Amino acid sequence: MALVTICKYRRAKTPYFLEQAGLNLYSLEELSWFLYHNICLADRQMFDERLCRWLDEEVGCPELARRIRSGAGASGSSLHNLVVSVAGASDLFGSAELTALGERLKGLEKLQEQERLKLRADELLGAGNEWAAVDEYRRILRMHQNNRLGMGFYAAVWHNLGVCYARQFLFWQAAECFETSCEYARDPETERQADLAKRLAAGEKPESGKREPDAADPQRKLLRWEEDYRARQRR
């Protein structure tokens, strides 16, 4: 694939907001690139009427929009077909690359549901979308525990959930997650992160061990912000 590619279709005046990654996309090529490199974030709900209208009205791809509407509305149509249709429409990827994409999608279909959700959550975390990643990790933990996946799998889920909270400065929650991770599979690094999170939650600077003034109680303020955010999501 060339380093520079001329867009086949027009650049959208109004971007398509991709909720899964918190991104604004302005062309079919950008959407295709995202799907090719982040297939774990794709789901059938993504291929909805909002996407079809954007492809039709903003990008000038009425035929692709028609195919997506037809495929998304058919009970037998697979996510595999929808993803490959969009990725292949931009001419960014050759036949060999699209075949490889199809194989990756088939591989995902063979995984346990919890494994697919974790890959999705890991990609969200890697993209800096901690709020969405938390929801996916929590979704895994609400499911019946799958003994086939082993203790290490759930240790990793709890650890990554702790990372999400730590990045949001919710250190008490992060510490609890790291400690729970160690109950599944003890790991010295995770234990160190649990200790660090508890010290930060207590207002200590790890390098000095001294407690910082906490008159405004920023931890409680962050928790209130989180509760307010969740409440707005439910409206």
Side-chain angles (χ1 to χ4, degrees):
M1 186 170 61
L3 293 177
V4 177
T5 301
I6 302 299
C7 290
K8 182 178 178 181
Y9 297 95
R10 66 174 179 253
R11 187 178 188 272
K13 294 181 179 179
T14 303
Y16 175 75
F17 181 67
L18 192 63
E19 296 177 352
Q20 290 86 339
L23 294 174
N24 282 326
L25 303 179
Y26 288 86
S27 68
L28 175 62
E29 285 75 13
E30 287 182 318
L31 176 60
S32 298
W33 180 271
F34 176 86
L35 287 173
Y36 187 87
H37 293 282
N38 301 275
I39 57 172
C40 292
L41 296 184
D43 54 30
R44 287 185 63 89
Q45 288 71 32
M46 176 181 173
F47 298 88
D48 57 8
E49 182 58 28
R50 183 172 69 93
L51 175 62
C52 292
R53 286 200 307 271
W54 181 79
L55 289 170
D56 187 358
E57 300 170 6
E58 292 290 333
V59 181
C61 302
E63 178 58 26
L64 177 59
R66 186 195 64 78
R67 293 205 308 270
I68 292 176
R69 286 190 180 100
S70 176
S75 59
S77 180
S78 66
L79 176 64
H80 170 281
N81 292 335
L82 294 169
V83 171
V84 173
S85 292
V86 174
S90 66
D91 291 341
L92 275 179
F93 307 104
S95 59
E97 291 170 306
L98 292 175
T99 299
L101 175 62
E103 292 301 317
R104 288 161 57 199
L105 286 163
K106 290 179 181 178
L108 288 175
E109 293 171 357
K110 296 177 181 178
L111 296 176
Q112 299 287 314
E113 183 179 4
Q114 294 94 329
E115 292 177 300
R116 292 196 299 271
L117 289 172
K118 183 179 180 298
L119 288 173
R120 177 182 174 88
D122 291 347
E123 288 197 359
L124 288 166
L125 178 58
N129 194 348
E130 289 85 11
W131 288 106
V134 165
D135 288 338
E136 297 297 330
Y137 289 128
R138 285 294 184 188
R139 183 179 172 187
I140 296 171
L141 296 173
R142 287 194 299 269
M143 298 171 69
H144 180 73
Q145 185 164 310
N146 189 332
N147 293 329
R148 293 173 57 187
L149 298 176
M151 294 295 101
F153 174 84
Y154 288 98
V157 171
W158 279 105
H159 176 275
N160 291 356
L161 181 60
V163 172
C164 290
Y165 284 133
R167 289 187 181 180
Q168 298 171 66
F169 306 103
L170 302 174
F171 297 119
W172 282 123
Q173 290 96 321
E176 291 174 356
C177 291
F178 290 139
E179 290 176 340
T180 303
S181 175
C182 289
E183 291 176 5
Y184 280 89
R186 185 177 178 184
D187 179 74
E189 177 59 24
T190 304
E191 290 177 340
R192 188 191 70 81
Q193 293 179 17
D195 179 67
L196 177 61
K198 285 190 288 187
R199 292 169 66 185
L200 288 168
E204 296 179 6
K205 282 187 176 180
E207 64 274 15
S208 66
K210 296 180 180 178
R211 184 176 180 83
E212 290 294 300
D214 194 25
D217 199 351
Q219 182 67 18
R220 290 186 180 180
K221 184 182 293 185
L222 285 168
L223 289 172
R224 287 197 299 272
W225 289 345
E226 179 189 20
E227 292 169 357
D228 182 61
Y229 173 85
R230 296 295 183 188
R232 288 200 301 271
Q233 279 193 323
R234 292 192 292 269
R235 292 174 185 172

